[in-house]
Amino acid sequence: MASDVRFSSNLSPQQRAAILDFEDRVMRRDPRFGKETTSRLELREVDVYERREDKKMHARVVFEIDMAEDMLNLVGNMHGGCVMHLIDVCTTLALNALKIALNKEGDYVSHGINTVFHAPAKVGARLELINTTTAWGSRAVSARTEIWDITNRRLVATGIQNQMQTARL
């Protein structure tokens, strides 16, 4: 699957390997929550670029996944908790890709996730999760997610996650 990932040309082979290793660890090797779902996420694109508006570096990371039974609520739509979990995991991957590209250090934890639900997603739909970093500060970072049902061509949910750097003990 890693060979199917499109990387921006400004990432070194070592940075690409570090991003893939982090993605594999978070999605498949070490997850303590939601492994059944996150292990099915397919990394499609990692792009690190200079944002035109402020000339700062940002990352765009795209995943795809097929809707399955384990992602549903009682009425047969994508569960809100599943949406929140995917936003949490996927924005973390986008922020980590930028951290690797910038050669930054530090660990970050969720500070808040704001989510808006736009349309339901059903079993069998192919979802695309587009994650874009929005800010990188000295103590706080943030990224946003758009979850698209690409089978039915509609926006399912959007979310923004803010993370804070953990205290150094």
Side-chain angles (χ1 to χ4, degrees), residues 9-152:
S9 60
N10 57 344
L11 291 168
S12 72
Q14 295 82 7
Q15 290 171 322
R16 292 175 190 204
I19 291 167
L20 289 174
D21 182 65
F22 184 80
E23 184 263 348
D24 186 57
R25 184 167 49 96
V26 169
M27 303 294 190
R28 283 167 274 293
R29 291 193 322 248
D30 294 338
R32 291 181 174 91
F33 178 82
K35 182 176 185 172
E36 192 171 309
T37 302
T38 57
S39 66
R40 294 193 315 268
L41 281 164
E42 300 168 24
L43 180 61
R44 294 293 186 208
E45 176 184 332
V46 178
D47 184 26
V48 177
Y49 60 95
E50 183 180 277
R51 186 166 58 186
R52 178 177 42 96
E53 293 80 3
D54 60 6
K55 306 292 186 206
K56 292 184 180 179
M57 296 303 290
H58 285 276
R60 180 179 189 267
V61 177
V62 179
F63 292 93
E64 291 183 8
I65 190 170
D66 292 316
M67 277 289 298
E69 294 286 331
D70 67 324
M71 300 168 74
L72 299 178
N73 61 20
L74 290 175
V75 296
N77 297 322
M78 187 175 191
H79 193 287
C82 184
V83 169
M84 297 286 288
H85 174 62
L86 291 174
I87 291 169
D88 181 16
V89 170
C90 292
T91 54
T92 296
L93 269 288
L95 289 164
N96 194 69
L98 183 60
K99 181 173 86 170
I100 290 168
L102 297 175
N103 297 310
K104 298 278 188 179
E105 296 291 327
D107 294 315
Y108 295 82
V109 294
S110 297
H111 181 63
I113 302 175
N114 295 314
T115 305
V116 177
F117 301 96
H118 302 282
K122 303 275 188 189
V123 167
R126 182 76 170 169
L127 303 180
E128 181 179 60
L129 296 92
I130 302 168
N131 308 276
T132 310
T133 59
T134 54
W136 190 280
S138 60
R139 292 185 309 254
V141 297
S142 62
R144 69 173 183 258
T145 298
E146 293 179 349
I147 300 176
W148 286 91
D149 174 342
I150 56 177
T151 303
N152 299 296

